[in-house]
Amino acid sequence: MDGDEHGIVKLTSKEGDTFDVPIEVARLSNLVVTTLGDDTNDDTNTEDVIEIPIPNVRTQVLAKVIEYCTHFHQEPKVTNITTPLKSNRIEEIVQEWYAEFVDVEQMMLFELVTAANFMDIKQLLDLTCLAVSVLIKGKSAEEIRRIFNISNNFSGEEDELHSSNTTEVTASTGKS
């Protein structure tokens, strides 16, 4: 597959910025694999550059996704993420580089989850979801609502009713 080793794919962000990415790196994304289809056979002219729009991903996020894919392509040895999580600290679950990679602002982390899902990059989706789960582990419902910007649609009376129903179910089943 010599054509794969030297080809370039242009990934275009939501804002129209393009990134030249080696095909073997871009192929970590199943979206790219599906889009390329059979276009990268051995007899394909490697001078041709294939452009793939990534309309749901901002430039800054796409650059970060490409950084991840490049690193993963060079050093794919990432620790398997198992549940239940053995720690509340991501550094104790995955290697240092991956822990530092997801040590970003909350909005960027959420955009990375969305980009990994849209581009169908399982390893990145697993890592970013791990980071989100560590972020919310041990938090109250109110704290989680704040993190995800979810409004509490219960009125005061409904909230009390919901709380009392939860308490009754817990008491009757012995489960929390």
Side-chain angles (χ1 to χ4, degrees):
M1 292 224 270
D2 292 336
D4 283 351
E5 294 173 15
H6 304 292
I8 295 290
V9 173
K10 281 190 179 287
L11 300 180
T12 306
S13 71
K14 179 179 187 173
E15 296 89 349
D17 295 315
T18 59
F19 296 87
D20 291 349
V21 182
I23 288 176
E24 66 271 12
V25 171
R27 281 183 172 274
L28 282 173
S29 164
N30 286 322
L31 173 71
V32 170
V33 170
T34 302
T35 303
L36 290 176
D38 292 332
D39 290 345
T40 55
N41 291 336
D42 291 333
D43 57 353
T44 299
N45 181 350
T46 58
E47 300 295 318
D48 294 340
V49 176
I50 299 163
E51 241 182 275
I52 300 175
I54 312 291
N56 296 0
V57 181
R58 291 184 316 109
T59 298
Q60 183 181 8
V61 178
L62 185 56
K64 194 91 169 136
V65 168
I66 293 167
E67 175 188 351
Y68 173 87
C69 291
T70 301
H71 179 82
F72 188 86
H73 179 72
Q74 293 167 349
E75 295 181 35
K77 294 171 184 71
V78 63
T79 304
N80 283 336
I81 299 166
T82 59
T83 56
L85 299 178
K86 61 182 179 182
S87 173
N88 283 350
R89 296 175 35 99
I90 197 163
E91 304 84 18
E92 295 174 3
I93 301 171
V94 297
Q95 293 95 327
E96 182 181 357
W97 188 91
Y98 295 101
E100 288 175 4
F101 179 83
V102 292
D103 186 17
V104 294
E105 290 182 19
Q106 186 175 301
M107 184 54 80
M108 171 61 89
L109 179 59
F110 292 160
E111 286 184 273
L112 282 169
V113 170
T114 303
N117 187 49
F118 176 74
M119 295 178 71
D120 196 2
I121 305 171
K122 183 188 179 332
Q123 303 87 345
L124 179 57
L125 185 59
D126 288 349
L127 177 65
T128 54
C129 286
L130 167 67
V132 171
S133 67
V134 166
L135 176 71
I136 65 171
K137 190 171 184 178
K139 301 277 194 285
S140 69
E142 187 55 41
E143 289 171 310
I144 293 171
R145 281 191 201 106
R146 234 184 342 270
I147 289 170
F148 290 106
N149 198 23
I150 299 171
S151 61
N152 184 354
N153 292 334
F154 292 127
S155 67
E157 188 177 299
E158 290 172 322
D159 205 18
E160 283 180 38
L161 179 63
H162 177 67
S163 294
S164 68
N165 285 344
T166 304
T167 304
E168 288 172 22
V169 169
T170 302
S172 68
T173 62
K175 296 180 181 176
S176 21

